[in-house]
């Protein structure tokens, strides 16, 4: 722990998503939710593709971390997102154009439950959504991410409270999807 609510640790990418899924599984939801913990995201999203074809979900909410390049020398879109601005709802990356309605729902629910939310400013990177959204004839997909500085390094850094914020937003979205 670094103080001011920040945490530095190795391999936070996707471990954070797993922690949020465990939180979701411990809550009451008005319908069945299948959470999938996949492997090999970084080398071709192989686990996500198999899971998507096995589960065949109506919707997919991918939970993970994403690159925050909010340090000196990076301006504008190159910052991608910032540690201090809330959960990231992606609209596009190198492998996915996210479902417009789910993207909007993320921002609507964030405003409704009063949690900070931002979008990625750079079309870069990717995650398991790349395999999920194009599986089984198309699966409506959104990614909710915790901003992470120094992603994929032994010194990943996140703001701890944003893990909880992302979990709250994911839960609010799950509840909203029950009405669809």
């Amino acid at each position: 722990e670094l103080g001011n609510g920040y945490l530095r640790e190795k391999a936070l990418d996707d471990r954070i998503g797993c922690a949020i899924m465990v939180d979701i599984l411990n809550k009451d939801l008005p319908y069945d939710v299948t959470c999938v913990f996949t492997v090999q995201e970084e080398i071709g999203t192989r686990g996500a593709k198999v899971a998507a074809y096995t589960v065949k979900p109506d919707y997919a909410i991918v939970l993970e971390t994403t690159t925050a390049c909010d340090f000196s020398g990076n301006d504008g879109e190159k910052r991608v997102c910032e540690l201090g601005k809330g959960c990231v709802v992606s609209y596009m990356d190198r492998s996915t154009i996210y479902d417009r309605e789910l993207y909007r729902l993320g921002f609507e629910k964030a405003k409704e439950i009063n949690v900070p939310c931002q979008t990625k400013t750079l079309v870069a990177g990717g995650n398991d959504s790349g395999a999920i959204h194009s599986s089984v004839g198309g699966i409506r997909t959104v990614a909710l991410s915790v901003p992470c500085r120094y992603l994929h390094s032994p010194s990943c850094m996140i703001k701890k409270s944003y893990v909880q914020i992302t979990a709250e937003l994911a839960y609010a979205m799950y509840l909203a999807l029950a009405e669809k």
Side-chain angles (χ1 to χ4, degrees):
E1 296 203 24
L2 298 172
N4 291 338
Y6 289 92
L7 174 70
R8 184 181 68 215
E9 181 62 65
K10 68 176 183 169
L12 288 177
D13 187 27
D14 299 329
R15 286 183 182 185
I16 294 299
C18 293
I20 293 169
M21 281 192 278
V22 169
D23 182 70
I24 295 295
L25 288 169
N26 285 316
K27 294 184 183 292
D28 289 326
L29 287 166
Y31 59 94
D32 291 336
V33 171
T34 301
C35 289
V36 179
F37 301 80
T38 64
V39 297
Q40 299 182 339
E41 180 216 32
E42 303 298 342
I43 57 167
T45 63
R46 294 175 181 138
K49 181 175 257 183
V50 171
Y53 276 97
T54 302
V55 176
K56 298 178 183 142
D58 296 320
Y59 301 96
I61 299 176
V62 174
L63 301 162
E64 55 134 29
T65 62
T66 196
T67 303
C69 293
D70 56 344
F71 45 80
S72 180
N74 270 354
D75 295 319
E77 71 176 20
K78 291 182 180 179
R79 294 177 77 82
V80 184
C81 65
E82 298 182 37
L83 288 186
K85 293 196 174 178
C87 174
V88 177
V89 182
S90 296
Y91 71 91
M92 184 176 174
D93 58 40
R94 286 189 302 193
S95 63
T96 308
I97 298 174
Y98 293 92
D99 183 271
R100 182 181 301 174
E101 185 180 339
L102 294 179
Y103 174 79
R104 288 181 182 150
L105 181 65
F107 281 91
E108 288 170 18
K109 290 298 162 186
K111 185 175 182 181
E112 189 177 294
I113 64 173
N114 197 31
V115 297
C117 187
Q118 62 183 312
T119 194
K120 284 174 75 168
T121 57
L122 184 68
V123 177
N127 56 48
D128 283 337
S129 299
I132 296 168
H133 86 284
S134 60
S135 295
V136 196
I139 296 169
R140 297 179 67 191
T141 305
V142 69
L144 302 180
S145 308
V146 176
C148 181
R149 197 178 292 153
Y150 317 123
L151 189 69
H152 301 153
S153 80
S155 298
C156 299
M157 187 165 73
I158 62 167
K159 189 162 186 166
K160 285 174 49 177
S161 61
Y162 288 177
V163 177
Q164 186 58 39
I165 285 168
T166 304
E168 290 173 25
L169 181 54
Y171 182 66
M173 289 184 72
Y174 279 118
L175 291 177
L177 290 173
E179 298 170 10
K180 294 199 176 286

